[in-house]
């Protein structure tokens, strides 16, 4: 993935996700995302950050920015997702791990890159629904 723009707002998180959620909601609201779509973007970013706290010990970083057409959020952590289809297939209800699938359902585009150096997930939300 290309690096986020230098003007992207960023916040690191280690335990409390409320400041991260506020940043996403504030940025999306200031930049024309509807209330429903803002709620979906906050939900998706929050789920990714919760996965960071659940599966890694080093916390993560969230970056948020916008273009003329969309709001973008990027979550980075030191985790490694080994399943190349993680979040693309719905798991049986009895199995844990539905968060990435949910993220893919509520965002317009989800880009995931993962390897030994860590994981980056970029969320795209168009300012108006397709």
């Amino acid at each position: 993935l290309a690096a986020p723009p230098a003007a992207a707002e960023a916040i690191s998180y280690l335990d409390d996700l409320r400041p991260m959620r506020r940043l996403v909601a504030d940025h999306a609201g200031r930049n024309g995302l509807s209330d429903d779509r803002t709620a979906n973007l906050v939900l998706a970013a929050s789920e990714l950050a919760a996965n960071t706290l659940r599966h890694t010990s080093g916390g993560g970083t969230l970056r948020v920015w916008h273009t003329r057409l969309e709001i973008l959020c990027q979550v980075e952590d030191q985790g490694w997702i080994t399943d190349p289809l993680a979040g693309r297939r719905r798991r049986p209800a009895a199995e844990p791990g539905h968060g990435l699938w949910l993220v893919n359902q509520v965002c317009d585009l989800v880009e995931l890159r993962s390897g030994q150096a860590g994981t980056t997930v970029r969320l795209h939300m168009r300012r108006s629904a397709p």
Side-chain angles (χ1 to χ4, degrees), residues 2-123:
E9 295 181 71
I11 190 168
S12 294
Y13 55 91
L14 193 51
D15 52 11
D16 185 2
L17 299 181
R18 289 175 294 190
M20 180 273 312
R21 291 179 185 124
R22 272 193 303 274
L23 175 61
V24 174
D26 290 348
H27 190 97
R30 286 191 320 263
N31 290 287
L33 207 58
S34 72
D35 290 346
D36 287 346
R37 293 178 66 73
T38 294
N40 283 340
L41 186 59
V42 170
L43 173 67
S46 184
E47 180 58 38
L48 294 175
N51 282 347
T52 296
L53 300 183
R54 193 174 299 119
H55 300 290
T56 74
S57 60
T61 301
L62 173 121
R63 299 177 202 289
V64 60
W65 69 98
H66 63 279
T67 68
R68 187 174 60 79
L69 300 175
E70 61 186 359
I71 309 297
L72 297 99
C73 290
Q74 181 168 296
V75 175
E76 304 161 11
D77 64 34
Q78 297 305 307
W80 184 5
I81 299 172
T82 58
D83 179 0
L85 294 177
R88 304 290 183 186
R89 297 180 297 214
R90 188 172 189 178
R91 294 174 175 250
E95 286 185 21
H98 296 269
L100 276 176
W101 182 83
L102 173 73
V103 168
N104 275 279
Q105 301 309 301
V106 301
C107 292
D108 295 319
L109 175 64
V110 177
E111 298 177 277
L112 186 147
R113 304 293 187 272
S114 192
Q116 291 179 353
T119 295
T120 300
V121 182
R122 184 172 291 175
L123 309 174

